[in-house]
């Protein structure tokens, strides 16, 4: 047999060969088949093709598993439900709904950074600068809310944008987030010292007002645990779909478009007004409306700013409602990367002046780090704005009872 180095063994029956230098020792009957160069190339090509096919199967399997996991994750009840049926038909009649989504009064670019949305979010999640979290617990007071007087007007702020109002004998809870401000609990954790209040601490609620459906304003666990102690839910168009999917009755929900209002009781009218922001709890944005509100009561008028960037609508609201006794305004979580959808520090005074507000309280700070500015920078900004623009500023501690003498 020639060219033994290019020879492979084909075993007939059970057996094996031992190679010693250029010699082969046949232990059992073996047939030697010479292999040509073309046949060797064919074998290698077949092996490479099998490897590529196997890699493709593995990648496809990973994609299918990941896609299934995402779909199951997004089907959790906390994500709520997109509007459909009669609610969707009503939404389509709104003058603020165009081409399948709600729009701001003025064209609004969501992300204003050249980095792009994904890069900005990556930097936010994995590049945390110093100072965005407090080193020490944030000052806070634990107040027994059930023991507060029923015959006076007051406000208690719980950090970020959650607060409780009592006006003309009605208790009004706004954007309560007492459990989690994100789809997963390890994101958007509250600052030390701020996690004092739970849904069970709340008294009976006459009105629950939700300004929009972002996770840091509408908390599934909170509203589920409050269910049964809420008289009425008032929210912008489409947000009621979430509440219905969470077991609230349609008759207990009032949805409003901008410039609509509802009289909830004698002496209390809720006006739904524009804001410059966006909405969404999952992958689809702007299927529900975002809003600010004006509470018109026998005691006084209070403006609830919700979230939103500066624009001409504040001046219009100030003209339409010339008596705003208290404006509760957003101040925090701003960035040059999204400067049109949150109030920037230099704009805070302009918002208050446009509204002609007699007094101002700022919120949307001191509990979560949803931007990269120092955690206490909004507190410094409001003090500077008050001095610069002569604002009558109230600066409460979390949990402090603020008497509202209009």
């Amino acid at each position: 047999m020639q060219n033994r180095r290019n020879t492979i063994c084909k075993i007939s029956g059970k057996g094996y060969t031992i190679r010693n230098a250029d010699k082969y020792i046949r232990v059992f009957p073996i047939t030697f088949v010479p292999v040509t160069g073309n046949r060797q190339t064919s074998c290698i090509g077949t092996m490479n093709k099998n490897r590529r096919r196997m890699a493709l199967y593995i990648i496809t399997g990973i994609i299918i598993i990941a896609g299934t996991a995402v779909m199951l994750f997004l089907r959790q009840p906390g994500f709520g439900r997109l509007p459909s049926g009669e609610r969707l038909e009503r939404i389509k009649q709104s003058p603020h709904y165009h081409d399948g989504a709600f729009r701001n009064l003025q064209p609004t670019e969501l992300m204003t950074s050249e980095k792009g949305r994904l890069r900005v979010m990556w930097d936010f999640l994995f590049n945390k600068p110093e100072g965005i979290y407090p080193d020490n617990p944030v000052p806070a007071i634990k107040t027994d809310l059930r023991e507060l007087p029923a015959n006076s007007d007051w406000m208690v702020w719980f950090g970020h944008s959650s607060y409780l109002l009592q006006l003309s004998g009605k208790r009004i809870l706004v954007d309560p987030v007492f459990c989690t401000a994100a789809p997963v609990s390890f994101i958007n954790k509250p600052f030390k010292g701020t996690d004092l209040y739970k849904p069970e601490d709340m008294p009976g609620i006459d009105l629950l007002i939700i300004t929009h459906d972002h996770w840091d304003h509408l908390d599934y666990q909170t509203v589920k645990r409050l269910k049964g102690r809420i008289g009425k839910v008032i929210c912008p168009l489409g947000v009621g779909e979430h509440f219905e999917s969470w077991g609230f009755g349609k008759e207990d929900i009032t949805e409003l478009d901008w410039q609509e209002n509802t009289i909830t009781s004698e002496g209390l009218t809720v006006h739904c007004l524009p804001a410059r922001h966006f909405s969404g709890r999952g992958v689809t944005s702007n299927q529900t409306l975002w809003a600010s509100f004006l509470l018109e009561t026998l005691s006084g008028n209070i403006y609830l700013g919700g979230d939103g960037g500066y624009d001409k609508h504040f001046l219009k609201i100030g003209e339409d409602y010339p008596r705003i006794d208290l404006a509760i305004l957003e101040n925090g979580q701003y960035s040059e990367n999204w400067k049109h959808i949150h109030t920037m520090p230099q704009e805070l005074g302009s918002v208050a002046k446009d509204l002609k507000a007699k007094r101002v309280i700022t919120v949307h700070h001191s509990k979560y780090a949803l931007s990269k500015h120092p955690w206490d920078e909004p507190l410094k900004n409001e003090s500077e704005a008050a001095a610069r623009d002569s604002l009558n500023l109230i600066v409460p501690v979390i949990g402090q009872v603020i008497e509202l003498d209009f």
Side-chain angles (χ1 to χ4, degrees), residues 212 214 216-217 276-278 306-310 330-335 338-345 347 364 370-371:
H212 61 295
H214 284 159
D216 60 317
H217 291 256
R276 191 182 192 189
H277 201 52
F278 70 112
D307 278 7
Y310 183 62
E330 180 202 62
N331 171 30
Q333 320 318 319
Y334 47 77
S335 170
W338 48 79
K339 62 184 179 181
H340 296 321
I341 56 173
H342 285 293
T343 302
M344 298 298 290
E347 298 166 337
H364 211 240
L370 307 183
S371 186

Side-chain angles (χ1 to χ4, degrees), residues 62 79 90 109 153 198 221 228 252 311 330 360 393 403:
I62 291 172
F79 284 91
R90 182 188 171 193
E109 187 177 4
D153 297 331
K198 300 299 179 186
Q221 291 292 342
D252 298 324
D311 206 352
E330 180 202 62
V360 171
L393 181 67
E403 296 290 340

Side-chain angles (χ1 to χ4, degrees), residues 217-243:
H217 291 256
L218 176 56
D219 176 15
Y220 164 69
Q221 291 292 342
T222 293
V223 298
K224 283 288 286 185
R225 286 158 65 175
L226 285 172
K227 187 174 177 289
R229 289 185 288 135
I230 297 172
K232 194 83 171 178
V233 177
I234 297 180
C235 56
L237 280 181
V239 178
E241 189 79 35
H242 299 312
F243 281 91

Side-chain angles (χ1 to χ4, degrees), residues 132-134 138 157-162 175-181 188-198 216 219 222 333 363-370 375 398:
I132 66 171
Y133 300 105
V138 176
W157 173 55
F158 305 114
H160 201 61
S161 293
S162 305
D175 289 354
V177 178
F178 300 129
C179 299
T180 178
N188 295 349
K189 287 188 174 182
F191 297 157
K192 290 180 291 185
T194 65
D195 198 20
L196 281 180
Y197 291 89
K198 300 299 179 186
D216 60 317
D219 176 15
T222 293
Q333 320 318 319
V363 296
H364 211 240
H365 57 77
S366 299
K367 189 172 182 179
Y368 302 109
L370 307 183
W375 78 271
I398 291 174

Side-chain angles (χ1 to χ4, degrees), residues 81 83 87 91 102 235-242 255 287-289:
R81 194 169 63 198
R87 179 174 280 109
I91 285 173
F102 282 106
C235 56
L237 280 181
V239 178
E241 189 79 35
H242 299 312
E255 294 175 75
Q287 299 304 295
T288 63
L289 189 60

Side-chain angles (χ1 to χ4, degrees), residues 56-78:
L56 181 61
Y57 290 157
I58 293 172
I59 293 171
T60 302
I62 291 172
I63 293 173
I64 292 172
I65 292 171
T68 302
V70 169
M71 289 178 62
L72 291 174
F73 179 70
L74 293 174
R75 291 183 65 181
Q76 293 182 100

